[in-house]
Amino acid sequence: KVFATELESPEIFVEGARFQLGQSHLQSILNVGISERKLYLSNQPPLGNIFKPLLIDLESIPRIELEVLTGGDKYPNFPEIEKYKFYLGEPTITTLFLSKELIDKLENEYGEPIFTNKLAEPS
């Protein structure tokens, strides 16, 4: 309810992005965009007919981390995957994982690194 919006899809927008919300793995049903220096999220049908789009202020994303996944010793030929982990809310309500490639594309189109400027220092 806090982030619900009636805003239509912004100009800077990618449909069918892969993502992970908390511990769930949902793929190819999320639309992601940037509007007014905010993160815009909406679902594609059929969920898009039930859930309102979300518009999340940067202040509600207190921390963003870059995670790099590899196949390790077990799968050495597995391609390296980079994704951003967004911590939503203070205290954290949930996390949202989006690919680095997606965020880089959105920021390039927006013309400003509004998310990567908030990257936490590697621990």
Side-chain angles (χ1 to χ4, degrees), residues 1 10 13 18 25 33 39 62 74 79 88 102 106 108 115:
K1 290 182 180 181
F13 183 74
R18 295 175 187 258
H25 289 275
L39 180 64
K74 189 171 184 180
L88 304 179
L102 170 68
L106 291 170
N108 284 337
F115 302 118

Side-chain angles (χ1 to χ4, degrees), residues 55-84:
L55 194 59
I56 304 170
D57 280 306
L58 286 176
E59 293 78 36
S60 298
I61 306 171
R63 185 176 175 92
I64 301 172
E65 296 175 350
L66 176 63
E67 291 196 358
V68 180
L69 303 175
T70 65
D73 293 337
K74 189 171 184 180
Y75 304 102
N77 295 327
F78 187 82
E80 192 172 87
I81 298 172
E82 295 179 308
K83 59 184 181 175
Y84 288 122

